[in-house]
Short mmCIF file of all heavy atoms in Angstrom, two decimals:
data_model
loop_
_atom_site.label_atom_id
_atom_site.label_comp_id
_atom_site.label_asym_id
_atom_site.label_seq_id
_atom_site.Cartn_x
_atom_site.Cartn_y
_atom_site.Cartn_z
N MET A 164 -5.46 1.91 71.53
CA MET A 164 -4.51 2.55 72.44
C MET A 164 -4.48 1.84 73.79
O MET A 164 -3.41 1.62 74.37
CB MET A 164 -4.89 4.03 72.61
CG MET A 164 -3.83 4.87 73.31
SD MET A 164 -4.35 6.59 73.46
CE MET A 164 -4.27 7.13 71.76
N ALA A 165 -5.65 1.46 74.28
CA ALA A 165 -5.73 0.78 75.57
C ALA A 165 -5.09 -0.61 75.51
O ALA A 165 -4.54 -1.09 76.51
CB ALA A 165 -7.19 0.67 76.02
N LEU A 166 -5.16 -1.27 74.34
CA LEU A 166 -4.63 -2.63 74.20
C LEU A 166 -3.15 -2.66 73.86
O LEU A 166 -2.55 -3.74 73.84
CB LEU A 166 -5.39 -3.36 73.09
CG LEU A 166 -6.89 -3.61 73.30
CD1 LEU A 166 -7.49 -4.23 72.06
CD2 LEU A 166 -7.13 -4.50 74.51
N ALA A 167 -2.56 -1.50 73.61
CA ALA A 167 -1.21 -1.44 73.04
C ALA A 167 -0.17 -2.21 73.85
O ALA A 167 0.74 -2.81 73.29
CB ALA A 167 -0.79 0.02 72.87
N CYS A 168 -0.30 -2.20 75.15
CA CYS A 168 0.73 -2.82 76.01
C CYS A 168 0.25 -4.12 76.66
O CYS A 168 0.77 -4.53 77.70
CB CYS A 168 1.18 -1.83 77.07
SG CYS A 168 1.86 -0.31 76.38
N ASN A 169 -0.77 -4.75 76.05
CA ASN A 169 -1.28 -6.06 76.52
C ASN A 169 -1.67 -6.05 78.00
O ASN A 169 -1.13 -6.81 78.82
CB ASN A 169 -0.24 -7.16 76.27
CG ASN A 169 0.11 -7.30 74.82
OD1 ASN A 169 -0.77 -7.41 73.97
ND2 ASN A 169 1.40 -7.25 74.51
N PRO A 170 -2.62 -5.19 78.40
CA PRO A 170 -2.99 -5.13 79.82
C PRO A 170 -3.74 -6.38 80.27
O PRO A 170 -4.35 -7.08 79.46
CB PRO A 170 -3.92 -3.91 79.87
CG PRO A 170 -4.53 -3.85 78.50
CD PRO A 170 -3.44 -4.30 77.57
N GLU A 171 -3.69 -6.63 81.57
CA GLU A 171 -4.45 -7.74 82.16
C GLU A 171 -5.90 -7.34 82.41
O GLU A 171 -6.80 -8.18 82.36
CB GLU A 171 -3.80 -8.17 83.48
CG GLU A 171 -2.36 -8.63 83.38
CD GLU A 171 -1.75 -8.84 84.75
OE1 GLU A 171 -2.36 -9.58 85.56
OE2 GLU A 171 -0.68 -8.27 85.02
N ILE A 172 -6.11 -6.06 82.72
CA ILE A 172 -7.45 -5.55 83.01
C ILE A 172 -7.72 -4.34 82.12
O ILE A 172 -6.88 -3.44 82.00
CB ILE A 172 -7.60 -5.13 84.49
CG1 ILE A 172 -7.41 -6.33 85.42
CG2 ILE A 172 -8.95 -4.47 84.74
CD1 ILE A 172 -7.36 -5.96 86.89
N LEU A 173 -8.89 -4.32 81.48
CA LEU A 173 -9.31 -3.19 80.66
C LEU A 173 -10.55 -2.57 81.29
O LEU A 173 -11.53 -3.26 81.56
CB LEU A 173 -9.63 -3.66 79.24
CG LEU A 173 -10.08 -2.59 78.24
CD1 LEU A 173 -8.98 -1.56 78.02
CD2 LEU A 173 -10.48 -3.23 76.91
N ILE A 174 -10.47 -1.26 81.57
CA ILE A 174 -11.62 -0.51 82.09
C ILE A 174 -12.21 0.28 80.94
O ILE A 174 -11.53 1.10 80.31
CB ILE A 174 -11.20 0.45 83.23
CG1 ILE A 174 -10.56 -0.34 84.39
CG2 ILE A 174 -12.41 1.23 83.73
CD1 ILE A 174 -9.96 0.55 85.47
N ALA A 175 -13.47 0.04 80.61
CA ALA A 175 -14.15 0.73 79.51
C ALA A 175 -15.23 1.63 80.11
O ALA A 175 -16.25 1.14 80.61
CB ALA A 175 -14.77 -0.27 78.54
N ASP A 176 -15.00 2.95 80.07
CA ASP A 176 -15.91 3.91 80.71
C ASP A 176 -16.86 4.48 79.66
O ASP A 176 -16.48 5.33 78.85
CB ASP A 176 -15.09 5.03 81.36
CG ASP A 176 -15.98 6.00 82.14
OD1 ASP A 176 -17.19 5.72 82.29
OD2 ASP A 176 -15.47 7.04 82.61
N GLU A 177 -18.10 4.01 79.67
CA GLU A 177 -19.15 4.46 78.73
C GLU A 177 -18.63 4.43 77.27
O GLU A 177 -18.76 5.43 76.55
CB GLU A 177 -19.62 5.88 79.08
CG GLU A 177 -20.22 6.03 80.46
CD GLU A 177 -21.72 5.78 80.51
OE1 GLU A 177 -22.24 5.24 79.53
OE2 GLU A 177 -22.33 6.10 81.54
N PRO A 178 -18.07 3.30 76.79
CA PRO A 178 -17.46 3.30 75.46
C PRO A 178 -18.46 3.32 74.31
O PRO A 178 -18.06 3.48 73.17
CB PRO A 178 -16.66 2.00 75.45
CG PRO A 178 -17.43 1.09 76.35
CD PRO A 178 -17.98 1.97 77.43
N THR A 179 -19.76 3.16 74.60
CA THR A 179 -20.75 3.13 73.51
C THR A 179 -21.79 4.24 73.61
O THR A 179 -22.71 4.29 72.80
CB THR A 179 -21.47 1.76 73.49
OG1 THR A 179 -22.15 1.58 74.75
CG2 THR A 179 -20.51 0.62 73.27
N THR A 180 -21.66 5.14 74.59
CA THR A 180 -22.64 6.21 74.76
C THR A 180 -22.65 7.12 73.54
O THR A 180 -21.62 7.52 73.04
CB THR A 180 -22.32 7.04 76.02
OG1 THR A 180 -22.43 6.18 77.15
CG2 THR A 180 -23.29 8.19 76.19
N ALA A 181 -23.85 7.44 73.06
CA ALA A 181 -24.10 8.35 71.92
C ALA A 181 -23.69 7.75 70.57
O ALA A 181 -23.75 8.43 69.56
CB ALA A 181 -23.40 9.69 72.12
N LEU A 182 -23.28 6.47 70.54
CA LEU A 182 -23.00 5.82 69.26
C LEU A 182 -24.27 5.23 68.68
O LEU A 182 -25.20 4.89 69.41
CB LEU A 182 -21.96 4.70 69.44
CG LEU A 182 -20.54 5.11 69.87
CD1 LEU A 182 -19.68 3.86 70.03
CD2 LEU A 182 -19.91 6.06 68.88
N ASP A 183 -24.31 5.11 67.36
CA ASP A 183 -25.42 4.39 66.71
C ASP A 183 -25.56 3.00 67.30
O ASP A 183 -24.57 2.38 67.71
CB ASP A 183 -25.13 4.21 65.21
CG ASP A 183 -25.05 5.53 64.48
OD1 ASP A 183 -25.52 6.52 65.03
OD2 ASP A 183 -24.53 5.53 63.35
N VAL A 184 -26.80 2.46 67.31
CA VAL A 184 -26.99 1.12 67.86
C VAL A 184 -26.21 0.07 67.08
O VAL A 184 -25.73 -0.92 67.65
CB VAL A 184 -28.49 0.74 67.90
CG1 VAL A 184 -29.20 1.45 69.03
CG2 VAL A 184 -29.18 0.99 66.57
N THR A 185 -26.04 0.28 65.77
CA THR A 185 -25.27 -0.69 64.98
C THR A 185 -23.79 -0.63 65.33
O THR A 185 -23.13 -1.65 65.47
CB THR A 185 -25.47 -0.43 63.48
OG1 THR A 185 -25.28 0.96 63.22
CG2 THR A 185 -26.85 -0.84 63.02
N VAL A 186 -23.26 0.61 65.47
CA VAL A 186 -21.85 0.77 65.87
C VAL A 186 -21.64 0.26 67.29
O VAL A 186 -20.65 -0.41 67.60
CB VAL A 186 -21.42 2.25 65.75
CG1 VAL A 186 -19.97 2.43 66.19
CG2 VAL A 186 -21.61 2.75 64.33
N GLN A 187 -22.61 0.56 68.16
CA GLN A 187 -22.56 0.07 69.54
C GLN A 187 -22.46 -1.45 69.58
O GLN A 187 -21.65 -2.02 70.33
CB GLN A 187 -23.83 0.54 70.26
CG GLN A 187 -23.98 0.08 71.69
CD GLN A 187 -25.23 0.68 72.31
OE1 GLN A 187 -25.18 1.71 72.97
NE2 GLN A 187 -26.36 0.05 72.11
N LYS A 188 -23.25 -2.10 68.76
CA LYS A 188 -23.25 -3.57 68.71
C LYS A 188 -21.89 -4.10 68.25
O LYS A 188 -21.38 -5.05 68.84
CB LYS A 188 -24.36 -4.05 67.77
CG LYS A 188 -24.57 -5.57 67.78
CD LYS A 188 -25.72 -5.95 66.85
CE LYS A 188 -25.93 -7.46 66.80
NZ LYS A 188 -26.46 -7.99 68.06
N THR A 189 -21.30 -3.46 67.24
CA THR A 189 -20.00 -3.93 66.76
C THR A 189 -18.90 -3.69 67.80
O THR A 189 -17.99 -4.51 67.93
CB THR A 189 -19.61 -3.26 65.43
OG1 THR A 189 -19.59 -1.83 65.60
CG2 THR A 189 -20.59 -3.60 64.32
N ILE A 190 -18.98 -2.58 68.55
CA ILE A 190 -17.99 -2.31 69.60
C ILE A 190 -18.08 -3.37 70.70
O ILE A 190 -17.07 -3.88 71.19
CB ILE A 190 -18.18 -0.89 70.20
CG1 ILE A 190 -17.88 0.19 69.15
CG2 ILE A 190 -17.33 -0.69 71.44
CD1 ILE A 190 -16.43 0.30 68.72
N ILE A 191 -19.32 -3.73 71.09
CA ILE A 191 -19.50 -4.76 72.12
C ILE A 191 -18.97 -6.11 71.63
O ILE A 191 -18.27 -6.83 72.36
CB ILE A 191 -20.99 -4.86 72.52
CG1 ILE A 191 -21.41 -3.61 73.30
CG2 ILE A 191 -21.26 -6.11 73.36
CD1 ILE A 191 -22.89 -3.48 73.54
N GLU A 192 -19.29 -6.45 70.39
CA GLU A 192 -18.79 -7.71 69.81
C GLU A 192 -17.26 -7.71 69.75
O GLU A 192 -16.61 -8.73 70.03
CB GLU A 192 -19.38 -7.92 68.42
CG GLU A 192 -20.86 -8.28 68.42
CD GLU A 192 -21.48 -8.26 67.03
OE1 GLU A 192 -20.80 -7.80 66.09
OE2 GLU A 192 -22.64 -8.71 66.89
N LEU A 193 -16.67 -6.55 69.41
CA LEU A 193 -15.21 -6.43 69.34
C LEU A 193 -14.59 -6.63 70.72
O LEU A 193 -13.58 -7.35 70.86
CB LEU A 193 -14.85 -5.05 68.78
CG LEU A 193 -13.35 -4.70 68.74
CD1 LEU A 193 -12.60 -5.65 67.81
CD2 LEU A 193 -13.16 -3.26 68.29
N LEU A 194 -15.18 -6.02 71.76
CA LEU A 194 -14.64 -6.19 73.12
C LEU A 194 -14.74 -7.64 73.57
O LEU A 194 -13.82 -8.16 74.22
CB LEU A 194 -15.38 -5.26 74.09
CG LEU A 194 -15.05 -3.76 73.97
CD1 LEU A 194 -15.99 -2.94 74.84
CD2 LEU A 194 -13.60 -3.49 74.34
N HIS A 195 -15.85 -8.31 73.24
CA HIS A 195 -15.99 -9.75 73.54
C HIS A 195 -14.84 -10.53 72.90
O HIS A 195 -14.20 -11.37 73.54
CB HIS A 195 -17.32 -10.28 72.99
CG HIS A 195 -18.45 -10.21 73.95
ND1 HIS A 195 -18.42 -10.78 75.21
CD2 HIS A 195 -19.69 -9.63 73.85
CE1 HIS A 195 -19.56 -10.56 75.82
NE2 HIS A 195 -20.35 -9.86 75.02
N LYS A 196 -14.60 -10.26 71.62
CA LYS A 196 -13.59 -10.99 70.85
C LYS A 196 -12.19 -10.75 71.42
O LYS A 196 -11.41 -11.69 71.64
CB LYS A 196 -13.67 -10.54 69.39
CG LYS A 196 -12.59 -11.08 68.46
CD LYS A 196 -12.84 -10.61 67.04
CE LYS A 196 -11.68 -10.95 66.12
NZ LYS A 196 -10.51 -10.09 66.34
N LEU A 197 -11.85 -9.48 71.67
CA LEU A 197 -10.52 -9.14 72.17
C LEU A 197 -10.30 -9.70 73.57
O LEU A 197 -9.20 -10.17 73.89
CB LEU A 197 -10.35 -7.62 72.19
CG LEU A 197 -10.34 -6.94 70.81
CD1 LEU A 197 -10.41 -5.43 70.97
CD2 LEU A 197 -9.10 -7.34 70.02
N LYS A 198 -11.33 -9.66 74.40
CA LYS A 198 -11.22 -10.19 75.76
C LYS A 198 -10.91 -11.69 75.73
O LYS A 198 -10.05 -12.18 76.47
CB LYS A 198 -12.53 -9.91 76.51
CG LYS A 198 -12.61 -10.53 77.89
CD LYS A 198 -13.91 -10.12 78.55
CE LYS A 198 -14.18 -10.95 79.78
NZ LYS A 198 -14.79 -12.23 79.53
N ALA A 199 -11.61 -12.42 74.85
CA ALA A 199 -11.40 -13.87 74.76
C ALA A 199 -10.01 -14.19 74.20
O ALA A 199 -9.31 -15.07 74.71
CB ALA A 199 -12.48 -14.49 73.87
N GLU A 200 -9.59 -13.46 73.17
CA GLU A 200 -8.30 -13.73 72.53
C GLU A 200 -7.12 -13.37 73.44
O GLU A 200 -6.09 -14.05 73.43
CB GLU A 200 -8.18 -12.95 71.22
CG GLU A 200 -9.09 -13.48 70.12
CD GLU A 200 -9.07 -12.61 68.87
OE1 GLU A 200 -8.44 -11.53 68.89
OE2 GLU A 200 -9.70 -13.02 67.88
N ARG A 201 -7.28 -12.32 74.23
CA ARG A 201 -6.17 -11.83 75.06
C ARG A 201 -6.27 -12.28 76.51
O ARG A 201 -5.41 -11.92 77.32
CB ARG A 201 -6.12 -10.30 75.00
CG ARG A 201 -5.68 -9.75 73.63
CD ARG A 201 -5.91 -8.27 73.54
NE ARG A 201 -5.28 -7.69 72.34
CZ ARG A 201 -4.14 -7.01 72.34
NH1 ARG A 201 -3.49 -6.83 73.49
NH2 ARG A 201 -3.62 -6.53 71.22
N HIS A 202 -7.35 -13.01 76.85
CA HIS A 202 -7.55 -13.52 78.22
C HIS A 202 -7.54 -12.38 79.24
O HIS A 202 -6.91 -12.47 80.30
CB HIS A 202 -6.49 -14.57 78.57
CG HIS A 202 -6.37 -15.65 77.54
ND1 HIS A 202 -7.36 -16.59 77.33
CD2 HIS A 202 -5.38 -15.93 76.64
CE1 HIS A 202 -6.99 -17.41 76.35
NE2 HIS A 202 -5.80 -17.03 75.92
N MET A 203 -8.22 -11.28 78.90
CA MET A 203 -8.28 -10.11 79.78
C MET A 203 -9.48 -10.19 80.71
O MET A 203 -10.44 -10.92 80.46
CB MET A 203 -8.42 -8.83 78.96
CG MET A 203 -7.24 -8.43 78.13
SD MET A 203 -7.52 -6.79 77.40
CE MET A 203 -9.07 -7.01 76.53
N SER A 204 -9.42 -9.39 81.77
CA SER A 204 -10.60 -9.08 82.57
C SER A 204 -11.10 -7.70 82.16
O SER A 204 -10.32 -6.87 81.70
CB SER A 204 -10.26 -9.09 84.06
OG SER A 204 -9.76 -10.36 84.44
N LEU A 205 -12.40 -7.48 82.32
CA LEU A 205 -12.99 -6.24 81.81
C LEU A 205 -13.92 -5.64 82.86
O LEU A 205 -14.74 -6.33 83.46
CB LEU A 205 -13.77 -6.55 80.53
CG LEU A 205 -14.50 -5.41 79.81
CD1 LEU A 205 -13.50 -4.36 79.33
CD2 LEU A 205 -15.30 -5.94 78.63
N ILE A 206 -13.77 -4.33 83.08
CA ILE A 206 -14.73 -3.54 83.87
C ILE A 206 -15.43 -2.62 82.88
O ILE A 206 -14.81 -1.74 82.28
CB ILE A 206 -14.05 -2.72 84.97
CG1 ILE A 206 -13.36 -3.66 85.99
CG2 ILE A 206 -15.07 -1.84 85.69
CD1 ILE A 206 -12.55 -2.92 87.05
N PHE A 207 -16.73 -2.84 82.68
CA PHE A 207 -17.50 -2.11 81.66
C PHE A 207 -18.49 -1.20 82.38
O PHE A 207 -19.38 -1.67 83.09
CB PHE A 207 -18.23 -3.09 80.75
CG PHE A 207 -18.83 -2.46 79.53
CD1 PHE A 207 -18.16 -2.48 78.31
CD2 PHE A 207 -20.07 -1.83 79.57
CE1 PHE A 207 -18.70 -1.90 77.18
CE2 PHE A 207 -20.62 -1.24 78.45
CZ PHE A 207 -19.92 -1.28 77.24
N ILE A 208 -18.33 0.12 82.18
CA ILE A 208 -19.16 1.12 82.87
C ILE A 208 -20.19 1.67 81.89
O ILE A 208 -19.86 2.04 80.77
CB ILE A 208 -18.27 2.26 83.41
CG1 ILE A 208 -17.30 1.71 84.46
CG2 ILE A 208 -19.12 3.38 84.00
CD1 ILE A 208 -16.22 2.69 84.86
N SER A 209 -21.45 1.72 82.31
CA SER A 209 -22.51 2.25 81.45
C SER A 209 -23.69 2.71 82.29
O SER A 209 -23.85 2.29 83.44
CB SER A 209 -22.97 1.18 80.45
OG SER A 209 -24.00 1.68 79.61
N HIS A 210 -24.52 3.59 81.72
CA HIS A 210 -25.77 3.96 82.37
C HIS A 210 -26.92 3.11 81.85
O HIS A 210 -28.04 3.21 82.34
CB HIS A 210 -26.09 5.44 82.16
CG HIS A 210 -26.28 5.82 80.73
ND1 HIS A 210 -25.34 6.52 80.01
CD2 HIS A 210 -27.29 5.58 79.87
CE1 HIS A 210 -25.77 6.70 78.79
NE2 HIS A 210 -26.96 6.13 78.66
N ASP A 211 -26.66 2.25 80.85
CA ASP A 211 -27.72 1.53 80.14
C ASP A 211 -27.64 0.04 80.46
O ASP A 211 -26.72 -0.66 80.04
CB ASP A 211 -27.56 1.76 78.64
CG ASP A 211 -28.75 1.24 77.83
OD1 ASP A 211 -29.51 0.42 78.37
OD2 ASP A 211 -28.90 1.66 76.66
#
Side-chain angles (χ1 to χ4, degrees):
M164 191 180 290
L166 296 175
C168 301
N169 300 309
E171 300 172 53
I172 297 172
L173 180 62
I174 301 172
D176 185 7
E177 300 271 13
T179 60
T180 297
L182 295 178
D183 296 343
V184 285
T185 48
V186 178
Q187 178 177 265
K188 187 178 178 70
T189 57
I190 294 292
I191 290 170
E192 288 171 351
L193 175 63
L194 288 172
H195 269 305
K196 174 177 171 286
L197 294 170
K198 174 177 167 277
E200 290 174 354
R201 290 169 170 258
H202 308 291
M203 291 187 305
S204 301
L205 180 63
I206 297 175
F207 191 97
I208 297 169
S209 180
H210 62 254
D211 190 342

